[in-house]
Each structure stands twice: as C-alpha cells, then as structure tokens.
Amino acid sequence: MTREPRWIAGLAMIAAPLLLLTGMLLRLPVPFFFPYQLTAAADHPGRMSAAYTCVLAGTLLLCPAVLALAARIRFRWGFWGAVLVVTGLFARVFHAGFDQAALALARHRGAGFATAFVGDAYGDPHLFSYLSFTILLGWPVLAFAAWRARVLHAVQAVGLAAMAALPLGVLKGTTVLSLVAVAGVAVALVPEGVRLIRVAPGPDFRLVAVAVPVVGLLAYVSTLG
C-alpha cells in the first residue's frame, strides 16, 4: 500500500468509529422507534440532522477502512467477509437516504405527516430487503478471517464481530447494543489506523494543499444540482 492510501485508510479507521459514536450519543436521549425519532427531528432539527449525518459519514468511512483491513488478510474468508460487510454498508447507506427523506418531511410537513408516511412505506420491499443478512453476517466472517490470519488479536476480532449487534433498518435510535457495537469496532480499527499512519511516510503537503480546495469546490458545486 503506497503513501496516500495508507493515510486515507488509517484516517478512515480512526474517524469512522468516532463519527459513529458521536452520532449515537447525539440521539441517545431519543427513544428508539421511528415516531420518536421523527418528533425529535421536528423539535430539534439541528441536533438530529447532525446525529444522522455523523452516523452516515462514519458508515461511509467504514468502507475504505474495511477494504484496507481485508487487503492484509491472506485467507479466502477475508475476501468474502469484505464483500458481505461492504454490501451491508451499502444497505445502511440506502437506509440513511430514507432517513434523510423522512427527517426532511418531519421538518417541513410535521412529525405526524412524516410518521404516517414512514408507517405506510416501511414494509415496501426493495433490493436491500433481501440483502439485510449481509449487515449481520459480514462482520463475524471478516472478524474470524482477520483473527485466523493474525491481522487482529482476539479482543479486536471480538470487537469487530460486535458490529453485527448494531440495529439495522431506517430511523433507528441509540440502544445499549448500539454503543457496544461502536465501541467494539473502535477497539478493532482505531489501533490499526494509528499503526498505519505511524508506519506510512509523511503526506505530500503540496498535494494536500491542492486537493483540499479542489475537493471543497467540487463539494460546493455538487450542492447546486
């Protein structure tokens, strides 16, 4: 792995659990089920928007983190574990899109309207209805492969497998299992992220100086469409 991918993977391994934990803590006082989440979105839009955005950003960053971890596993279960986990992350991002739409409805049309909409649409089948098993199965498979290949020690592997306990679906609040799952993935990934950054050569600051404003500009332009 070359310099820039090591830094990106290392930072993703550190930032993903921290963002997930921030989002989980922000919505911790709100009861778990979706009517309460939508009521909170109408009453405290800034807080709930920040909470769901942090969880989404953490979920996205788990993808490069998992791929970097899987690249170190010389064991076929590592490949299949990565495929399952990444598919599960796609499903969570899909759910986050539904969350965003429902939270926007709660802010603009009221919590009652949004709750009725979600209640009517919740059971509609879609592609990820049939792939939800990947959210649960992928983490234990990847954890076993990482432990078997001695990429993670036993405690880290158990922490990684604990991500299977993170509740799935749309508009889910924070539970004790949520915090256990995020703490587990932090135990598994943060030390690996620190290790990657420590062994990687220093970043090319000329490239960073160019990339940051370019990415910022592209992000702004993206909002115009």
Side-chain angles (χ1 to χ4, degrees), residues 15-30 37 46-59 103 166 172-175 178-179 182:
L18 296 179
L19 285 166
L20 287 171
L21 181 60
T22 300
M24 296 295 174
L25 292 176
L26 282 172
R27 66 190 187 197
L28 179 60
V30 183
Q37 298 290 309
R47 177 175 184 155
M48 294 302 288
S49 179
Y52 277 87
T53 299
C54 285
V55 171
L56 174 57
T59 302
L103 293 171
L166 188 66
K172 294 298 190 290
T174 299
T175 66
S178 307
L179 298 177
V182 174

Side-chain angles (χ1 to χ4, degrees), residues 98 116-126:
F98 191 99
F117 166 75
V118 174
D120 290 341
Y122 194 88
D124 289 354
H126 49 75

Side-chain angles (χ1 to χ4, degrees), residues 50-210:
Y52 277 87
T53 299
C54 285
V55 171
L56 174 57
T59 302
L60 287 173
L61 287 176
L62 280 176
C63 189
V66 163
L67 293 176
L69 180 67
R72 298 176 55 207
I73 300 173
R74 306 295 182 183
F75 184 50
R76 70 175 61 182
W77 281 52
F79 170 79
W80 290 111
V83 169
L84 290 169
V85 169
V86 170
T87 303
L89 292 174
F90 287 165
R92 288 195 181 277
V93 171
F94 175 85
H95 295 154
F98 191 99
D99 293 348
Q100 177 65 33
L103 293 171
L105 280 176
R107 291 194 302 269
H108 295 292
R109 299 291 297 273
F113 182 91
T115 299
F117 166 75
V118 174
D120 290 341
Y122 194 88
D124 289 354
H126 49 75
L127 174 62
F128 287 108
S129 299
Y130 306 99
L131 295 175
S132 291
F133 72 92
T134 62
I135 301 175
L136 302 174
L137 185 60
W139 294 105
V141 172
L142 184 63
F144 172 75
W147 170 78
R148 176 75 181 273
R150 297 184 180 179
V151 172
L152 299 180
H153 59 64
V155 173
Q156 287 178 297
V158 170
L160 194 66
M163 268 296 284
L166 188 66
L168 60 90
V170 301
L171 293 168
K172 294 298 190 290
T174 299
T175 66
V176 172
L177 283 179
S178 307
L179 298 177
V180 169
V182 174
V185 82
V187 168
L189 295 183
V190 170
E192 294 304 300
V194 172
R195 184 196 62 80
L196 266 180
I197 291 173
R198 289 182 64 182
V199 301
D204 185 341
F205 289 103
R206 293 173 298 178
L207 178 61
V208 173
V210 173

